[in-house]
Amino acid sequence: MSEFQCMATSVKPSSIFFQSAQPCFGVKRPFIPTRIWNSRSTFPFSVRKKQNRERSFVLRHLKIKALDAAQPFDYEFKKSEVLEKNSLLKIGIVGFGNFGQFLAKTLVKQGHTVLAHSRTDHGEVARKIGVSFFKDADDFCEEHPEVILLCSSIIATESVLRSFPTQRLKRNTLFADVLSVKEFPRNLFSQLLPPEFDILCTHPMFGPESGKAGWSGLPFVYEKVRVGKGARAERCYRFLNIFAQEGCRMVEMSCTEHDRHAAESQFITHTVGRMLAKLNLESTPINTKGYETLLRIVDNTCGDSFDLYYGLFMYNNNATEQLERLEMAFDALKKQLMGQLHQILRKQLFEGSSSAESSQQISALTDTQNSHPSGNSSGKQKIKELSDVVKEVK
């Protein structure tokens, strides 16, 4: 019996790992068992008989029983760990108010390191969220965040930026904002920030109320105003990916185009909501769906500060035009109503209705106009003209 046959017969039927037969000094060696473990698998050899009655052992097909699990010392595990670590950012939030805290919760949830600075002490709130709060701006900048996210109010942005110690930051820091207007911060950043800094203008089109159930499907508008290449472009991508991971609808748009669309949508919505709030609307037992929609508009718009609404008007060149258009539309609607009233009056006068009834209707309408301080002179003048027509008919 050969040496290999003796070895094979001495091995218990179990699964075996084998090394490939490699030529050694010109001689091929047989398959040599290198490791044995307990298993129910059958004997891994099949026996074949040759013509000279000698036996040969042929290796059967072996099945893979398990895949190796990733261990802390594995190369693949270490590489994936490094990749995950490199995808995280150190983000500094300037202006840690309601909206800044709202964004910070998601940033922390994704594993990013978040710092915060604000004139008002929000240290206790920051600790609960998992954010490092710095009351002093110099100490905040000494931490060298990769991204500065400006979350101050629109009207305070310029004063905050002018007093901010940008000289203590790294020269390639990425500056981003989340203001509801875009041309204003774009011009301000380009003017005040060092040319080495990257600039990204963004606007999450949602807030703590509309985004409390998640950001999926909500629009996120951005423009890469000034972003370098290489690692700086990668950093900008990683920051934008924060919102993409949450399911936001990413919309790349110029700041000029954004402000034009925002004046037609956001500013008009806030204006109508605040106008309705002046009427002190209340819920009734017979609310219609449309009326409930109006009540929700009032709640959503008046939940924001008046400074935000003022900023939408003051720092958007298109807002004044939209306000004038809104006023013209309201006047046109009133004229249409009064014109319809004039036609009804003529029909009553010349088709048999008594002039006394017409006079009573006009007097009632006049009393209604006088009881409302919002009634303007054009509406009263129209009613006066109609009253004069009735008197002439008499």
Side-chain angles (χ1 to χ4, degrees):
M1 183 177 296
S2 64
E3 179 183 355
F4 179 64
Q5 290 173 330
C6 293
M7 184 179 297
T9 55
S10 62
V11 175
K12 295 182 180 181
S14 59
S15 300
I16 305 176
F17 288 121
F18 294 91
Q19 293 178 341
S20 301
Q22 300 292 338
C24 183
F25 302 104
V27 180
K28 288 187 177 181
R29 294 179 179 272
F31 289 101
I32 301 174
T34 59
R35 181 180 173 188
I36 303 174
W37 80 98
N38 293 328
S39 176
R40 296 182 179 180
S41 58
T42 57
F43 190 61
F45 298 101
S46 60
V47 181
R48 295 182 180 177
K49 292 183 179 181
K50 295 184 177 180
Q51 293 180 353
N52 56 1
R53 297 182 179 179
E54 292 182 359
R55 294 182 177 181
S56 64
F57 293 85
V58 181
L59 183 65
R60 293 178 177 175
H61 294 291
L62 299 179
K63 296 181 179 180
I64 299 176
K65 297 296 184 181
L67 297 175
D68 61 326
Q71 301 297 327
F73 52 84
D74 283 355
Y75 177 80
E76 294 179 359
F77 177 83
K78 284 192 173 184
K79 282 296 181 183
S80 63
E81 191 177 39
V82 171
L83 181 63
E84 181 180 359
K85 184 178 180 180
N86 290 339
S87 65
L88 300 178
L89 294 168
K90 181 186 285 188
I91 303 173
I93 298 178
V94 178
F96 202 59
N98 191 27
F99 195 78
Q101 297 170 18
F102 167 68
L103 293 179
K105 293 176 183 178
T106 299
L107 299 179
V108 172
K109 183 186 68 175
Q110 290 190 8
H112 300 280
T113 302
V114 182
L115 319 173
H117 163 68
S118 184
R119 293 176 179 177
T120 305
D121 189 357
H122 295 290
E124 184 63 28
V125 177
R127 282 190 292 271
K128 293 180 180 179
I129 299 176
V131 175
S132 300
F133 184 81
F134 296 85
K135 188 71 170 63
D136 188 88
D138 292 321
D139 294 340
F140 172 81
C141 292
E142 288 293 343
E143 295 293 324
H144 295 152
E146 301 170 80
V147 180
I148 296 293
L149 186 59
L150 197 61
C151 296
S152 60
S153 65
I154 300 175
I155 60 177
T157 298
E158 184 172 359
S159 61
V160 169
L161 193 59
R162 287 187 180 277
S163 62
F164 196 71
T166 55
Q167 71 277 3
R168 295 186 177 275
L169 297 170
K170 290 184 177 180
R171 286 193 295 269
N172 64 346
T173 304
L174 171 63
F175 257 80
D177 79 287
V178 291
L179 301 185
S180 299
V181 293
K182 293 272 69 71
E183 284 189 290
F184 168 67
R186 180 197 63 188
N187 298 337
L188 189 66
F189 283 6
S190 301
Q191 176 187 356
L192 298 182
L193 293 178
E196 299 84 6
F197 283 18
D198 289 342
I199 299 175
L200 176 68
C201 289
T202 76
H203 182 199
M205 304 292 292
F206 50 87
E209 186 63 27
S210 57
K212 62 182 179 182
W215 301 355
S216 180
L218 300 177
F220 181 88
V221 183
Y222 67 95
E223 181 186 1
K224 300 175 184 177
V225 178
R226 188 173 70 203
V227 178
K229 299 180 180 179
R232 295 166 69 168
E234 175 65 21
R235 177 184 57 191
C236 180
Y237 167 79
R238 282 184 283 152
F239 177 76
L240 292 174
N241 194 48
I242 293 173
F243 300 89
Q245 282 183 342
E246 297 298 320
C248 291
R249 180 164 56 88
M250 309 299 288
V251 182
E252 188 169 8
M253 178 183 296
S254 69
C255 294
T256 302
E257 186 179 3
H258 167 275
D259 282 2
R260 186 174 68 252
H261 292 311
E264 295 176 353
S265 59
Q266 190 178 25
F267 177 70
I268 289 294
T269 302
H270 276 260
T271 301
V272 172
R274 290 186 176 273
M275 286 174 57
L276 295 173
K278 297 293 184 181
L279 299 177
N280 296 322
L281 300 180
E282 296 180 355
S283 182
T284 69
I286 53 173
N287 285 357
T288 62
K289 293 295 183 181
Y291 186 70
E292 290 179 351
T293 301
L294 293 181
L295 293 178
R296 286 196 297 271
I297 292 176
V298 173
D299 292 338
N300 290 337
T301 54
C302 294
D304 297 319
S305 65
F306 187 81
D307 286 347
L308 171 62
Y309 176 60
Y310 177 73
L312 293 175
F313 171 74
M314 186 65 183
Y315 295 93
N316 190 333
N317 289 329
N318 306 277
T320 302
E321 178 186 353
Q322 293 299 323
L323 193 62
E324 292 175 353
R325 290 182 60 190
L326 185 64
E327 187 176 6
M328 290 171 59
F330 183 70
D331 289 340
L333 189 60
K334 287 184 65 175
K335 289 178 181 179
Q336 185 179 359
L337 290 174
M338 293 303 175
Q340 186 72 19
L341 178 62
H342 191 278
Q343 293 177 5
I344 294 174
L345 178 60
R346 281 183 174 274
K347 185 177 180 180
Q348 290 176 344
L349 290 176
F350 296 103
E351 292 185 9
S353 298
S354 64
S355 59
E357 294 176 357
S358 301
S359 299
Q360 291 176 359
Q361 293 176 1
I362 293 176
S363 298
L365 183 59
T366 304
D367 294 338
T368 304
Q369 287 286 327
N370 292 332
S371 64
H372 292 281
S374 60
N376 59 18
S377 59
S378 62
K380 294 178 180 179
Q381 181 65 27
K382 190 70 175 178
I383 295 174
K384 185 177 182 301
E385 292 175 0
L386 295 177
S387 180
D388 293 340
V389 171
V390 173
K391 292 178 180 179
E392 291 177 2
V393 173
K394 287 182 177 180

